[in-house]
Amino acid sequence: NVISKSISGKRAAVLTTHSMEEADALCSRVGIIVNGRLMCLGSTQHLKTKHGGHYQLELKLSTEEEGNLTERMKAVREYVQGAFAGTEVLEEFNERALYKIPHQVLNRLSEAF
């Protein structure tokens, strides 16, 4: 909030980050620099649409439900990979999972719901 409030109006700020989520929250335009050269510039949505090849699905299973957590995680993984062809498991740890879903699988994100 402090950063957002300080750059309102005709002010600008240059921020550096490796997190698209952070850029999404704080910036109206984003530039991507590779080896000191500006490679692209635009809104975060424009850059995601043009250069992003996948969606990320992050899940957290309830630890209060009955049943073996490992078996429940396996069932979720099988469901996600069956529902979205080409999905990769990026991370699974305890009750959390992160999946990479190719854009080609969904014409619109709303189709996932």
Side-chain angles (χ1 to χ4, degrees):
N1 276 341
V2 173
I3 294 172
S4 298
K5 288 178 184 177
S6 67
I7 59 173
S8 63
K10 293 186 176 191
R11 295 181 183 165
V14 176
L15 306 172
T16 61
T17 182
H18 289 105
S19 168
M20 186 58 93
E21 291 81 12
E22 188 174 54
D24 236 347
L26 296 172
C27 304
S28 58
R29 288 181 18 147
V30 174
I32 296 179
I33 298 174
V34 178
N35 294 326
R37 294 187 58 200
L38 182 64
M39 302 304 286
C40 53
L41 179 68
S43 69
T44 54
Q45 187 57 55
H46 169 74
L47 297 179
K48 287 177 186 179
T49 300
K50 187 170 181 178
H51 301 288
H54 65 275
Y55 295 107
Q56 282 192 354
L57 173 64
E58 186 173 352
L59 301 172
K60 180 181 177 193
L61 299 180
S62 171
T63 55
E64 296 176 7
E65 288 186 34
E66 291 186 28
N68 183 303
L69 186 59
T70 303
E71 291 173 9
R72 290 174 40 227
M73 185 62 77
K74 180 182 177 190
V76 168
R77 180 184 335 109
E78 289 173 354
Y79 172 78
V80 171
Q81 289 179 322
F84 309 111
T87 294
E88 294 178 42
V89 178
L90 297 178
E91 183 179 311
E92 284 184 347
F93 184 72
N94 292 330
E95 73 277 3
R96 297 181 182 273
L98 183 62
Y99 301 99
K100 179 178 170 180
I101 302 173
H103 275 179
Q104 303 89 311
V105 175
L106 298 169
N107 291 323
R108 288 173 292 183
L109 186 57
S110 62
E111 293 174 5
F113 304 99

